[in-house]
Amino acid sequence: MALPVKLQNDETVVREVRRHPAAVTLQIVADVIGGILLILLINWLSGVVPSLSTLWNIAYVVVILGALLIGFVAVYRYRNDVWLITNQRIVDSVKTSPFNHSISSTDLINVQDIAIQKKGILATTFNFGDVVCQTASTKGNFTFRGVPNPTQLLEEVDKLRYAARRSTGPGSV
């Protein structure tokens, strides 16, 4: 796969990070459950007010198409979102659709704080979560969402940040 950015002089990719498949699956399951609940609500309302049967049929179609679109976007983002960790910087490349692509980058020396968040029993069981790298940039945070083994990723970014700060010399940070 082609990298979303051109590497700088003496820059090498240390790690390419993508979402954990379980995180994407859980997102899709939550969307399906929401769609089923909406269909059940529509079904109940159509029994309460049967005179609007055409409106209820339209609502069914809208809910089903919306669920399919949400599922497509989740799978598309899983395949196309990528975070790069190089020996010099972090690159966040997010594609929400074929027509919307944003890329953000920060030097490792600008990372001020790193935290992980595991939310829920499934995230703990399957060992995935978010790694949040706080910076002083206008973007503020670089968040690796739903990535496998977030503790290991935190340690790796922390080591690279330390090495980058040491290589720039005292007083330059």
Side-chain angles (χ1 to χ4, degrees), residues 26-126:
L26 288 174
Q27 179 185 356
I28 291 172
V29 166
D31 294 338
V32 167
I33 290 171
I36 290 170
L37 291 175
L38 279 174
I39 286 176
L40 290 174
L41 177 66
I42 293 168
N43 197 24
W44 177 77
L45 288 173
S46 66
V48 173
V49 189
S51 60
L52 300 175
S53 63
T54 304
L55 178 64
W56 303 131
N57 290 336
I58 292 171
Y60 282 125
V61 171
V62 168
V63 168
I64 291 169
L65 290 176
L68 289 172
L69 179 65
I70 290 170
F72 171 77
V73 169
V75 171
Y76 183 85
R77 289 191 68 180
Y78 170 70
R79 293 180 49 83
N80 291 289
D81 287 0
V82 63
W83 298 279
L84 294 178
I85 301 170
T86 73
N87 59 334
Q88 296 178 14
R89 61 187 169 153
I90 296 173
V91 178
D92 182 5
S93 174
V94 177
K95 277 185 148 181
T96 54
S97 76
F99 312 106
N100 188 4
H101 187 191
S102 65
I103 299 174
S104 301
S105 171
T106 190
D107 289 335
L108 284 168
I109 60 172
N110 294 332
V111 175
Q112 297 174 339
D113 190 30
I114 309 168
I116 63 170
Q117 300 172 349
K118 287 185 182 180
K119 298 177 185 173
I121 192 168
L122 293 174
T124 303
T125 302
F126 291 111

Side-chain angles (χ1 to χ4, degrees), residues 14 85-87 108 156-165:
V14 175
I85 301 170
T86 73
N87 59 334
L108 284 168
E156 193 169 0
V157 171
D158 203 27
K159 286 178 187 174
L160 289 166
R161 174 181 66 166
Y162 178 73
R165 287 181 175 172

